[in-house]
Amino acid sequence: MSIATVDAPTRAPSGNETEGTMQLVSFRLADEEYGIEIKKVREIILVGEITRMPQTPIYVKGLINLRSTVIPIIDLKLRFGLPETEPTDETRIMVANVGGKTIGVIVDAVSEVLRISQEQIAPPPPTVAGLGREYLVGLAKLKDRLLILLDIEKIVLEDINREPAAR
């Protein structure tokens, strides 16, 4: 499968981040809330028609045509081994720029953009095991909840480098 790279994002670069803070896009996946660096997110779109591709892992949902650029779509829930669910009105595709490639990631809902300080980020506890442990960057300690920070680059690049498997 070839992966196209989409032109630079239309939004202004994040020049308003201050030293020691970062902006995150938070999203829901099953019953948990996750976050990824906003720098990786190009845009968030509705789930439309996805063209399935043969001989791809089950979590690769297929390809979409995004303004004349074909990009692969990964269902993050299936990627983590969670049960597949039907899309809802809140289901979105987060289009991310990762390692020079553009890819879409299906999530249950996009919640908000957050600015957090480095002091709010804790490393994942060593006792946490399974379910994508290797993709965790840390935990963001928010006022009333924890946000699981993911390394989307590691998730996607591992998929790109992985040999295709039959469905």
Side-chain angles (χ1 to χ4, degrees), residues 146-160:
L146 290 175
L147 190 70
I148 302 166
L149 304 180
L150 293 177
D151 184 347
I152 192 73
E153 193 159 334
K154 190 171 184 179
I155 295 168
V156 171
L157 292 179
E158 185 175 291
D159 287 336
I160 290 171

Side-chain angles (χ1 to χ4, degrees), residues 35-126:
I36 61 173
E37 266 189 283
I38 198 167
K39 292 181 205 173
K40 308 280 187 208
V41 179
R42 182 174 176 269
E43 62 185 293
I44 297 163
I45 60 175
L46 296 170
V47 177
E49 185 71 30
I50 299 174
T51 303
R52 293 213 174 253
M53 295 294 298
Q55 302 287 313
T56 57
I58 193 163
Y59 54 84
V60 177
K61 300 305 283 183
L63 303 170
I64 65 168
N65 182 349
L66 182 65
R67 292 183 291 280
S68 301
T69 302
V70 176
I71 63 171
I73 303 297
I74 291 176
D75 187 326
L76 202 52
K77 226 184 314 188
L78 294 178
R79 177 68 179 84
F80 288 157
L82 298 168
E84 186 173 17
T85 57
E86 290 294 319
T88 68
D89 290 343
E90 295 184 327
T91 304
R92 296 289 184 269
I93 294 175
M94 288 195 322
V95 179
N97 290 322
V98 177
K101 315 243 184 269
T102 301
I103 193 160
V105 179
I106 297 175
V107 299
D108 288 342
V110 175
S111 306
E112 60 187 321
V113 174
L114 301 165
R115 182 185 304 270
I116 62 169
S117 68
Q118 293 295 329
E119 292 80 35
Q120 291 177 277
I121 300 174

Side-chain angles (χ1 to χ4, degrees), residues 5-16:
T5 302
V6 177
D7 291 338
T10 54
R11 65 180 154 78
S14 178
N16 56 355

